[in-house]
Amino acid sequence: MFMPYYLVLRLTREIHDLESRMVRKQIEISNHQKYASRLGSCSILTLNNVAGLAPGIFPRASLFAQYSDQASSMSAMQNLQMMKMMGRVPMTGNPMMQMQIEMSAFNEFKQASLKALKDQEIAQMNEVEKQIQLELTSLEQQLKIKREQLKSYKELLKVQRDIRRVELQARNSSGNQKEDYERQLEILRQQRDNLQEEVNEHDNFNSRD
């Protein structure tokens, strides 16, 4: 069975495509890790903090920076009002001191809310990273199979060319030389049959996918 050369070309293109997709997935993982690291290292995430992130993750990071600031401020204000209603905020009678006490309480509530939001965002980033890693692992497995398949195809094509060459030499020879060529053909045909079995196994595996 002659294996058309275009199948080798097609497999080569598929391998290049898989390699490109793997590089993109690796970049995605790196971007998510940098974002998670930035979240963990900043007490308050601002647009300046996320300015250096990759374009692929920047929109999410910038939206989270705005959302987390607004949401934590709202949560802190609600907590402060509740504490005041419950009488848990000291009333000093001094407007300046009262403002400092309430601002200190507000900042504590805001930092606690920000931490909770950041922890949640980091957890989500970790889940996304795990999913991308699963996709990357799948691509690595596919690439390994494709490379093995391509190797078998190339070896089969080479043996088929060698068989045709030796067959021609055998037809144009006689005596001991012809016998030598016939022995070579026997070895080559066995190699061809073994390689054909490998190719068929790869084809059957791909058809199951």
Side-chain angles (χ1 to χ4, degrees):
M1 174 182 176
F2 176 71
M3 183 60 60
Y5 186 65
Y6 79 88
L7 289 179
V8 172
L9 295 178
R10 187 193 69 186
L11 263 178
T12 302
R13 287 195 297 270
E14 291 175 355
I15 287 173
H16 289 164
D17 178 64
L18 284 171
E19 289 172 340
S20 298
R21 289 166 63 189
M22 285 178 60
V23 170
R24 290 195 293 270
K25 292 297 178 184
Q26 290 166 344
I27 292 173
E28 280 187 61
I29 290 176
S30 176
N31 290 341
H32 281 79
Q33 289 175 340
K34 289 177 181 177
Y35 176 39
S37 175
R38 193 72 56 87
L39 283 169
S41 63
C42 298
S43 58
I44 299 178
L45 194 67
T46 66
L47 293 179
N48 288 334
N49 297 140
V50 302
L53 294 175
I57 199 70
F58 177 77
R60 175 174 183 140
S62 60
L63 285 174
F64 178 76
Q66 298 175 53
Y67 162 76
S68 62
D69 181 60
Q70 295 171 1
S72 60
S73 293
M74 185 178 297
S75 175
M77 183 60 69
Q78 290 173 347
N79 286 332
L80 178 60
Q81 292 300 325
M82 184 178 298
M83 293 294 287
K84 289 171 70 175
M85 290 173 59
M86 297 172 63
R88 295 185 179 178
V89 177
M91 305 301 292
T92 65
N94 184 321
M96 185 63 68
M97 185 176 296
Q98 189 68 35
M99 183 182 296
Q100 290 176 349
I101 291 174
E102 293 184 9
M103 184 58 69
S104 177
F106 175 86
N107 287 334
E108 287 184 12
F109 288 137
K110 181 169 183 174
Q111 287 300 321
S113 179
L114 275 173
K115 185 179 184 307
L117 290 170
K118 288 197 302 177
D119 288 346
Q120 184 180 17
E121 179 73 349
I122 290 173
Q124 290 179 0
M125 286 296 96
N126 289 339
E127 288 302 315
V128 171
E129 183 183 337
K130 287 178 184 178
Q131 181 59 42
I132 297 174
Q133 186 61 57
L134 288 175
E135 295 171 5
L136 180 59
T137 300
S138 175
L139 290 174
E140 289 172 344
Q141 293 172 345
Q142 293 177 51
L143 182 60
K144 180 181 178 181
I145 293 170
K146 293 291 183 183
R147 283 173 172 167
E148 291 175 352
Q149 190 176 11
L150 179 60
K151 180 182 177 182
S152 297
Y153 282 2
K154 285 183 174 180
E155 289 177 351
L156 178 58
L157 284 172
K158 180 180 182 302
V159 170
Q160 288 173 333
R161 287 195 295 267
D162 289 343
I163 288 174
R164 290 194 296 274
R165 174 179 55 79
V166 176
E167 283 176 339
L168 180 61
Q169 291 172 330
R171 284 197 298 269
N172 296 328
S173 62
S174 59
N176 292 335
Q177 189 178 42
K178 186 177 183 67
E179 291 179 2
D180 288 340
Y181 286 136
E182 291 295 341
R183 284 193 291 270
Q184 291 181 41
L185 281 172
E186 183 178 353
I187 295 172
L188 288 169
R189 285 167 180 158
Q190 183 60 51
Q191 292 177 350
R192 178 198 60 193
D193 293 342
N194 293 339
L195 287 168
Q196 188 63 62
E197 288 183 7
E198 288 184 19
V199 167
N200 291 340
E201 288 178 2
H202 287 307
D203 291 342
N204 290 336
F205 181 85
N206 289 336
S207 66
R208 290 197 298 271
D209 289 345

